[in-house]
Amino acid sequence: MPLPKLYKIHHVDKEHTSIGLFEALDKKYTIKKVFYPGSHVHITPSLIFREVIYADSFKGTEKFFQDKETIAFIEQNRKYSEPAIFHFYQQDYNTPFEELSREFDLVISQYAGFVGQAVNAYLQKGGLLVCNNSHGDASMASLDPDFELVAVYRRYADNKFSISEKNLEDYLIPKKGTMPNREELLKTMRGIAYTKSPSGYIFKKINE
């Protein structure tokens, strides 16, 4: 089965499928339902997790998810036995998702802004926010009393990833010694520099 063209261009050819990350998450945590706002055409989560909801406002992305080639690729490459369940919303993730509730075990935020803040309402208590800090989502989550840092992840060659829950007190320490505030992060849309920077962060939602 050929690779869906856009997925190949944006992720496979750039060696940025992140399949190792999702495999590591699946191995370490109990994850049944996933929400991926700002996904564009990054369909890798559906190869590991059976039920994934995607959302993106980028024009034309809905056609990619409806394409028979995309559907067939997921079905033929999924790592689980049951048929895949996935749905795509063509909309900005900052607008309400009226059909969704507080039903997700995992929210994925990858280079898409303050996803964790925008869709907090759909993440269960005890659910995970997996994010990087390129656009400040990890910095913002670190200021949010709803979230607690529970692990970090690192990427290695050949799409290998590791997850660590050790020495978390060493992370999220600003290089300049002063913590940012929400207003500064909203203005710059950029994560601050930390003294120690993994590839990404895993936060747990601790409040309803």
Side-chain angles (χ1 to χ4, degrees):
M1 181 70 204
L3 286 164
K5 184 177 179 181
L6 290 177
Y7 178 62
K8 181 178 185 299
I9 291 171
H10 291 286
H11 296 285
V12 176
D13 290 350
K14 295 179 179 179
E15 298 183 349
H16 204 273
T17 66
S18 296
I19 191 165
L21 172 60
F22 303 124
E23 289 174 331
L25 289 166
D26 183 52
K27 184 177 180 179
K28 191 170 186 63
Y29 303 105
T30 301
I31 298 170
K32 295 182 178 179
K33 193 165 186 179
V34 179
F35 192 18
Y36 193 174
S39 64
H40 193 221
V41 297
H42 191 197
I43 54 174
T44 311
S46 284
L47 305 184
I48 305 301
F49 303 112
R50 186 190 181 202
E51 189 167 0
V52 185
I53 304 298
Y54 299 88
D56 203 286
S57 60
F58 195 83
K59 185 178 180 180
T61 308
E62 187 172 26
K63 293 181 180 179
F64 170 83
F65 280 88
Q66 294 173 343
D67 194 288
K68 293 180 179 178
E69 188 176 72
T70 300
I71 297 169
F73 175 78
I74 291 173
E75 281 301 319
Q76 293 181 21
N77 291 277
R78 54 185 165 81
K79 307 296 184 181
Y80 43 88
S81 57
E82 303 90 345
I85 300 172
F86 65 94
H87 180 76
F88 177 77
Y89 287 91
Q90 183 79 48
Q91 69 179 68
D92 188 314
Y93 62 70
N94 287 293
T95 60
F97 293 85
E98 297 181 358
E99 297 179 8
L100 304 183
S101 61
R102 198 183 302 277
E103 58 194 284
F104 295 95
D105 306 299
L106 172 65
V107 165
I108 300 170
S109 173
Q110 298 288 292
Y111 308 100
F114 302 125
V115 171
Q117 300 300 300
V119 303
N120 184 336
Y122 309 109
L123 186 63
Q124 298 184 49
K125 183 178 180 180
L128 303 174
L129 168 66
V130 173
C131 59
N132 56 42
N133 203 33
S134 66
H135 292 177
D137 207 17
S139 295
M140 190 68 86
S142 73
L143 301 176
D144 191 333
D146 283 348
F147 290 110
E148 175 186 6
L149 182 69
V150 294
V152 296
Y153 65 86
R154 295 186 182 280
R155 179 183 177 180
Y156 304 95
D158 300 322
N159 250 317
K160 301 296 183 182
F161 286 77
S162 68
I163 295 174
S164 175
E165 298 175 342
K166 297 179 180 179
N167 303 317
L168 296 179
E169 66 278 4
D170 294 340
Y171 297 95
L172 301 173
I173 301 173
K175 280 186 176 180
K176 293 185 178 180
T178 56
M179 294 297 291
N181 58 50
R182 287 179 56 88
E183 290 70 27
E184 291 170 343
L185 292 172
L186 288 169
K187 183 178 180 179
T188 63
M189 287 290 292
R190 184 183 305 166
I192 68 165
Y194 292 119
T195 57
K196 193 172 183 179
S197 296
S199 301
Y201 304 80
I202 302 173
F203 292 87
K204 180 171 72 174
K205 186 171 180 180
I206 58 176
N207 297 317
E208 291 289 354

Coordinates of all heavy atoms in Angstrom, one line a residue, residues 51-110:
E51 N -8.4 4.6 18.8 CA -9.4 5.7 18.6 C -8.7 7.1 18.8 O -8.2 7.4 19.9 CB -10.5 5.6 19.7 CG -11.7 6.5 19.4 CD -12.9 6.2 20.3 OE1 -12.8 5.2 21.0 OE2 -13.9 6.9 20.1
V52 N -8.7 7.8 17.7 CA -8.0 9.1 17.7 C -9.0 10.2 17.0 O -9.5 9.9 15.9 CB -6.7 9.1 16.9 CG1 -6.0 10.5 17.0 CG2 -5.8 8.0 17.4
I53 N -9.1 11.3 17.6 CA -9.8 12.4 17.0 C -8.8 13.5 16.6 O -8.0 13.9 17.5 CB -10.8 13.0 18.0 CG1 -11.8 12.0 18.5 CG2 -11.6 14.2 17.4 CD1 -12.7 11.3 17.5
Y54 N -8.9 13.9 15.4 CA -7.9 14.9 14.9 C -8.7 16.2 14.6 O -9.9 16.2 14.3 CB -7.3 14.4 13.5 CG -6.5 13.2 13.6 CD1 -7.1 11.9 13.5 CD2 -5.2 13.2 13.8 CE1 -6.4 10.7 13.5 CE2 -4.4 12.0 13.9 CZ -5.0 10.8 13.7 OH -4.3 9.6 13.8
A55 N -8.0 17.3 14.6 CA -8.6 18.6 14.3 C -7.5 19.5 13.7 O -6.4 19.6 14.2 CB -9.2 19.2 15.5
D56 N -7.9 20.3 12.7 CA -7.0 21.3 12.1 C -7.8 22.2 11.2 O -8.7 21.8 10.6 CB -5.9 20.6 11.3 CG -4.6 21.5 11.2 OD1 -4.7 22.4 10.4 OD2 -3.6 21.2 11.8
S57 N -7.3 23.5 11.2 CA -8.0 24.5 10.4 C -7.4 24.6 9.0 O -7.9 25.4 8.2 CB -8.1 25.8 11.1 OG -6.7 26.3 11.4
F58 N -6.3 23.9 8.8 CA -5.5 24.1 7.5 C -6.4 23.6 6.3 O -7.0 22.5 6.3 CB -4.2 23.3 7.5 CG -3.3 23.6 6.4 CD1 -2.4 24.7 6.6 CD2 -3.3 22.9 5.2 CE1 -1.5 25.0 5.5 CE2 -2.4 23.2 4.2 CZ -1.5 24.3 4.4
K59 N -6.6 24.5 5.4 CA -7.5 24.3 4.3 C -7.2 22.9 3.5 O -6.1 22.6 3.2 CB -7.4 25.4 3.3 CG -8.4 25.4 2.1 CD -8.3 26.6 1.2 CE -9.3 26.5 0.1 NZ -9.2 27.7 -0.8
G60 N -8.3 22.2 3.3 CA -8.2 21.0 2.5 C -7.8 19.7 3.3 O -7.8 18.6 2.7
T61 N -7.5 19.9 4.6 CA -7.0 18.7 5.4 C -8.1 17.6 5.5 O -7.8 16.4 5.5 CB -6.5 19.1 6.7 OG1 -5.6 20.2 6.6 CG2 -5.9 18.0 7.5
E62 N -9.3 18.1 5.5 CA -10.4 17.1 5.7 C -10.4 16.1 4.5 O -10.7 14.9 4.7 CB -11.8 17.8 5.7 CG -13.0 16.9 6.0 CD -14.2 17.7 6.2 OE1 -14.3 18.9 5.7 OE2 -15.1 17.2 6.9
K63 N -10.1 16.5 3.3 CA -10.1 15.6 2.2 C -9.0 14.5 2.4 O -9.2 13.4 1.9 CB -9.8 16.4 0.9 CG -10.9 17.4 0.5 CD -10.5 18.1 -0.8 CE -11.6 19.0 -1.3 NZ -11.2 19.8 -2.5
F64 N -7.9 14.9 3.0 CA -6.8 13.9 3.3 C -7.4 12.8 4.1 O -7.1 11.6 3.9 CB -5.7 14.6 3.9 CG -4.6 13.6 4.5 CD1 -3.7 13.1 3.6 CD2 -4.6 13.2 5.8 CE1 -2.7 12.2 4.1 CE2 -3.7 12.3 6.3 CZ -2.7 11.8 5.4
F65 N -8.1 13.1 5.2 CA -8.6 12.1 6.1 C -9.8 11.3 5.5 O -10.0 10.2 5.9 CB -9.1 12.8 7.4 CG -7.9 13.1 8.3 CD1 -7.2 14.3 8.2 CD2 -7.6 12.2 9.3 CE1 -6.2 14.6 9.1 CE2 -6.5 12.5 10.2 CZ -5.8 13.7 10.1
Q66 N -10.4 11.9 4.5 CA -11.5 11.1 3.8 C -11.0 10.3 2.7 O -11.8 9.4 2.2 CB -12.6 12.1 3.3 CG -13.3 12.9 4.4 CD -14.2 14.0 3.9 OE1 -14.1 14.4 2.8 NE2 -15.1 14.4 4.8
D67 N -9.8 10.5 2.3 CA -9.2 9.8 1.1 C -9.1 8.3 1.4 O -8.7 7.9 2.4 CB -7.9 10.4 0.8 CG -7.4 9.9 -0.6 OD1 -7.0 8.7 -0.7 OD2 -7.4 10.8 -1.5
K68 N -9.5 7.5 0.4 CA -9.5 6.0 0.6 C -8.0 5.5 0.8 O -7.8 4.5 1.5 CB -10.1 5.4 -0.7 CG -11.6 5.6 -0.9 CD -12.1 4.9 -2.1 CE -13.6 5.1 -2.3 NZ -14.1 4.5 -3.5
E69 N -7.1 6.2 0.2 CA -5.7 5.8 0.4 C -5.2 6.0 1.9 O -4.5 5.1 2.4 CB -4.8 6.7 -0.5 CG -3.3 6.2 -0.6 CD -2.5 7.0 -1.6 OE1 -2.2 8.2 -1.3 OE2 -2.2 6.5 -2.6
T70 N -5.7 7.1 2.5 CA -5.4 7.3 3.9 C -6.0 6.3 4.8 O -5.3 5.7 5.7 CB -5.9 8.7 4.3 OG1 -5.2 9.7 3.5 CG2 -5.6 9.0 5.8
I71 N -7.3 6.0 4.6 CA -8.0 5.0 5.4 C -7.4 3.6 5.2 O -7.2 2.9 6.2 CB -9.5 5.0 4.9 CG1 -10.1 6.4 5.2 CG2 -10.2 3.9 5.6 CD1 -11.5 6.5 4.6
A72 N -7.0 3.3 4.0 CA -6.4 2.0 3.7 C -5.1 1.8 4.4 O -4.7 0.8 4.9 CB -6.3 1.7 2.2
F73 N -4.3 2.9 4.3 CA -2.9 2.9 4.9 C -3.0 2.6 6.4 O -2.3 1.8 7.0 CB -2.2 4.2 4.7 CG -0.9 4.3 5.4 CD1 0.2 3.7 4.8 CD2 -0.8 5.0 6.5 CE1 1.5 3.7 5.5 CE2 0.5 5.1 7.2 CZ 1.6 4.5 6.7
I74 N -3.9 3.3 7.1 CA -4.1 3.2 8.6 C -4.5 1.7 8.9 O -4.0 1.1 9.7 CB -5.1 4.2 9.1 CG1 -4.5 5.6 9.1 CG2 -5.5 3.8 10.6 CD1 -5.5 6.7 9.5
E75 N -5.5 1.2 8.1 CA -6.0 -0.1 8.4 C -4.9 -1.2 8.1 O -4.9 -2.2 8.9 CB -7.2 -0.4 7.5 CG -8.5 0.2 8.0 CD -8.9 -0.3 9.4 OE1 -8.7 -1.5 9.7 OE2 -9.3 0.5 10.2
Q76 N -4.1 -1.0 7.2 CA -3.1 -2.0 6.8 C -1.8 -1.9 7.7 O -1.0 -2.8 7.7 CB -2.7 -1.9 5.4 CG -3.9 -2.3 4.4 CD -3.5 -2.2 3.0 OE1 -2.3 -2.3 2.6 NE2 -4.5 -2.1 2.1
N77 N -1.7 -0.8 8.4 CA -0.4 -0.6 9.2 C -0.7 -0.4 10.7 O 0.3 -0.2 11.4 CB 0.3 0.6 8.7 CG 0.9 0.4 7.3 OD1 2.0 -0.2 7.1 ND2 0.2 0.8 6.2
R78 N -1.9 -0.5 11.1 CA -2.2 -0.4 12.6 C -1.6 -1.6 13.3 O -1.5 -2.7 12.8 CB -3.7 -0.3 12.8 CG -4.5 -1.5 12.2 CD -6.0 -1.3 12.4 NE -6.8 -2.2 11.5 CZ -7.0 -3.5 11.8 NH1 -6.6 -4.0 12.9 NH2 -7.7 -4.2 11.0
K79 N -1.2 -1.3 14.6 CA -0.5 -2.3 15.4 C -1.5 -3.0 16.4 O -1.0 -3.7 17.3 CB 0.6 -1.6 16.2 CG 1.6 -0.8 15.4 CD 2.4 -1.6 14.5 CE 3.4 -0.8 13.7 NZ 4.2 -1.6 12.8
Y80 N -2.7 -2.8 16.2 CA -3.8 -3.4 17.1 C -4.7 -4.2 16.2 O -4.7 -4.1 15.0 CB -4.5 -2.3 17.9 CG -4.9 -1.1 17.0 CD1 -6.1 -1.1 16.3 CD2 -4.0 0.0 17.0 CE1 -6.4 0.0 15.5 CE2 -4.3 1.1 16.2 CZ -5.5 1.1 15.5 OH -5.8 2.2 14.7
S81 N -5.5 -5.1 16.8 CA -6.3 -6.0 16.0 C -7.6 -5.5 15.5 O -8.1 -5.8 14.5 CB -6.5 -7.3 16.8 OG -7.1 -7.0 18.1
E82 N -8.2 -4.6 16.3 CA -9.6 -4.1 16.0 C -9.5 -3.0 14.9 O -8.4 -2.4 14.7 CB -10.2 -3.5 17.2 CG -10.4 -4.4 18.4 CD -9.2 -4.4 19.3 OE1 -8.1 -3.8 18.9 OE2 -9.3 -4.9 20.4
P83 N -10.6 -2.8 14.1 CA -10.6 -1.8 13.1 C -10.3 -0.4 13.8 O -10.7 -0.1 14.9 CB -12.0 -1.8 12.6 CG -12.5 -3.2 12.8 CD -11.8 -3.6 14.2
A84 N -9.6 0.5 13.1 CA -9.3 1.8 13.6 C -10.6 2.7 13.6 O -11.5 2.5 12.8 CB -8.3 2.5 12.7
I85 N -10.6 3.5 14.6 CA -11.7 4.5 14.8 C -11.0 5.9 14.8 O -10.2 6.2 15.6 CB -12.4 4.3 16.1 CG1 -13.1 3.0 16.1 CG2 -13.5 5.4 16.2 CD1 -13.7 2.6 17.5
F86 N -11.3 6.7 13.8 CA -10.8 8.1 13.8 C -11.7 9.0 13.1 O -12.5 8.6 12.2 CB -9.4 8.1 13.1 CG -9.3 7.8 11.6 CD1 -9.4 8.8 10.7 CD2 -9.2 6.5 11.2 CE1 -9.4 8.4 9.3 CE2 -9.1 6.1 9.9 CZ -9.2 7.1 8.9
H87 N -11.6 10.3 13.5 CA -12.5 11.3 12.9 C -11.7 12.6 12.9 O -10.9 12.9 13.7 CB -13.7 11.5 13.8 CG -14.7 12.5 13.3 ND1 -15.5 12.3 12.2 CD2 -14.9 13.8 13.7 CE1 -16.2 13.4 12.0 NE2 -15.9 14.3 12.9
F88 N -12.0 13.4 11.8 CA -11.3 14.7 11.7 C -12.3 15.8 11.7 O -13.3 15.8 11.1 CB -10.6 14.7 10.3 CG -9.9 16.0 10.1 CD1 -8.7 16.3 10.7 CD2 -10.5 16.9 9.2 CE1 -8.1 17.5 10.4 CE2 -9.8 18.1 8.9 CZ -8.7 18.4 9.6
Y89 N -11.9 16.9 12.5 CA -12.7 18.1 12.5 C -11.9 19.2 11.8 O -10.8 19.5 12.1 CB -12.9 18.6 14.0 CG -13.9 17.7 14.7 CD1 -13.5 16.6 15.5 CD2 -15.3 18.1 14.7 CE1 -14.4 15.9 16.2 CE2 -16.2 17.3 15.4 CZ -15.8 16.2 16.1 OH -16.7 15.5 16.9
Q90 N -12.5 19.8 10.7 CA -11.9 20.9 10.0 C -12.3 22.2 10.7 O -13.2 22.8 10.3 CB -12.4 20.9 8.5 CG -11.8 21.9 7.7 CD -10.4 21.6 7.2 OE1 -10.2 20.5 6.7 NE2 -9.5 22.5 7.3
Q91 N -11.5 22.5 11.8 CA -11.8 23.7 12.5 C -10.6 24.1 13.4 O -9.8 23.3 13.7 CB -13.1 23.6 13.4 CG -12.9 22.6 14.6 CD -14.2 22.5 15.4 OE1 -15.2 22.0 14.9 NE2 -14.1 23.0 16.6
D92 N -10.6 25.4 13.8 CA -9.6 25.9 14.7 C -9.8 25.2 16.0 O -11.0 25.2 16.5 CB -9.8 27.4 14.8 CG -8.7 28.1 15.6 OD1 -8.3 27.5 16.7 OD2 -8.1 29.1 15.1
Y93 N -8.8 24.7 16.7 CA -9.0 24.1 18.0 C -9.4 25.0 19.1 O -9.8 24.6 20.2 CB -7.8 23.2 18.3 CG -6.5 24.0 18.6 CD1 -6.3 24.9 19.7 CD2 -5.4 23.9 17.7 CE1 -5.1 25.6 19.9 CE2 -4.2 24.6 17.9 CZ -4.1 25.4 19.0 OH -2.9 26.1 19.2
N94 N -9.3 26.3 18.9 CA -9.7 27.3 19.9 C -11.3 27.5 19.9 O -11.8 28.1 20.8 CB -9.1 28.6 19.6 CG -7.6 28.6 20.0 OD1 -7.3 28.5 21.2 ND2 -6.8 28.7 19.0
T95 N -12.0 26.9 18.9 CA -13.4 27.0 18.9 C -14.0 25.7 19.5 O -13.3 24.7 19.5 CB -13.9 27.1 17.4 OG1 -13.5 26.0 16.7 CG2 -13.4 28.4 16.8
P96 N -15.2 25.8 20.1 CA -15.7 24.7 20.9 C -16.0 23.4 20.0 O -16.4 23.6 18.8 CB -17.0 25.2 21.4 CG -16.8 26.7 21.5 CD -16.0 27.0 20.3
F97 N -15.7 22.3 20.5 CA -16.1 21.0 19.8 C -17.3 20.5 20.5 O -17.3 19.8 21.5 CB -14.9 20.0 20.0 CG -13.7 20.4 19.2 CD1 -12.8 21.2 19.8 CD2 -13.5 19.9 17.9 CE1 -11.6 21.6 19.1 CE2 -12.3 20.3 17.2 CZ -11.4 21.1 17.8
E98 N -18.5 20.9 20.0 CA -19.7 20.6 20.7 C -20.1 19.1 20.9 O -20.8 18.7 21.8 CB -20.9 21.3 20.0 CG -20.7 22.9 20.0 CD -21.8 23.6 19.3 OE1 -22.7 22.9 18.7 OE2 -21.8 24.8 19.3
E99 N -19.5 18.3 20.0 CA -19.8 16.9 20.1 C -18.9 16.1 21.0 O -19.1 14.9 21.4 CB -19.6 16.2 18.7 CG -20.6 16.8 17.6 CD -20.3 16.1 16.3 OE1 -19.6 15.2 16.2 OE2 -21.0 16.6 15.3
L100 N -17.9 16.8 21.5 CA -16.9 16.1 22.4 C -17.2 16.5 23.9 O -17.7 17.5 24.2 CB -15.5 16.5 22.0 CG -15.1 16.3 20.6 CD1 -13.6 16.7 20.4 CD2 -15.3 14.8 20.2
S101 N -16.7 15.6 24.8 CA -16.9 15.8 26.2 C -15.5 15.5 26.9 O -14.5 15.3 26.2 CB -17.9 14.9 26.8 OG -17.6 13.5 26.5
R102 N -15.5 15.5 28.2 CA -14.3 15.2 28.9 C -14.0 13.7 28.8 O -14.2 12.9 29.8 CB -14.5 15.6 30.4 CG -13.1 15.8 31.1 CD -13.4 16.1 32.6 NE -14.2 17.3 32.8 CZ -13.6 18.6 32.7 NH1 -12.3 18.7 32.5 NH2 -14.4 19.6 32.9
E103 N -13.5 13.2 27.7 CA -13.5 11.8 27.4 C -12.1 11.3 27.0 O -12.0 10.1 26.7 CB -14.5 11.5 26.2 CG -14.2 12.3 25.0 CD -15.3 12.3 24.0 OE1 -15.5 11.2 23.3 OE2 -16.0 13.3 23.9
F104 N -11.1 12.1 26.9 CA -9.8 11.7 26.4 C -8.8 11.4 27.4 O -8.7 12.0 28.5 CB -9.3 12.8 25.4 CG -10.1 13.0 24.2 CD1 -11.1 14.0 24.2 CD2 -10.0 12.2 23.1 CE1 -11.9 14.1 23.1 CE2 -10.8 12.3 22.0 CZ -11.8 13.3 22.0
D105 N -8.0 10.3 27.1 CA -6.9 9.9 28.0 C -5.6 10.6 27.6 O -4.7 10.7 28.4 CB -6.6 8.4 27.9 CG -7.8 7.6 28.1 OD1 -8.4 7.6 29.2 OD2 -8.3 6.9 27.2
L106 N -5.5 11.1 26.4 CA -4.3 11.8 25.9 C -4.6 12.9 25.0 O -5.5 12.7 24.1 CB -3.4 10.7 25.2 CG -2.2 11.2 24.4 CD1 -1.2 11.8 25.4 CD2 -1.6 10.1 23.6
V107 N -4.0 14.0 25.2 CA -4.0 15.1 24.2 C -2.6 15.3 23.7 O -1.6 15.4 24.5 CB -4.5 16.5 24.9 CG1 -4.2 17.6 24.0 CG2 -6.0 16.4 25.1
I108 N -2.5 15.4 22.4 CA -1.2 15.5 21.7 C -1.0 17.0 21.2 O -1.9 17.5 20.6 CB -1.0 14.6 20.5 CG1 -1.1 13.1 20.9 CG2 0.3 14.8 19.8 CD1 -1.3 12.2 19.8
S109 N 0.1 17.6 21.6 CA 0.4 19.0 21.2 C 1.8 19.0 20.6 O 2.7 18.9 21.3 CB 0.3 20.0 22.4 OG 0.7 21.3 22.0
Q110 N 1.8 19.2 19.3 CA 3.1 19.2 18.6 C 3.2 20.4 17.6 O 2.6 20.4 16.6 CB 3.3 17.9 17.8 CG 3.3 16.6 18.6 CD 4.5 16.5 19.5 OE1 5.6 16.2 18.9 NE2 4.4 16.6 20.8

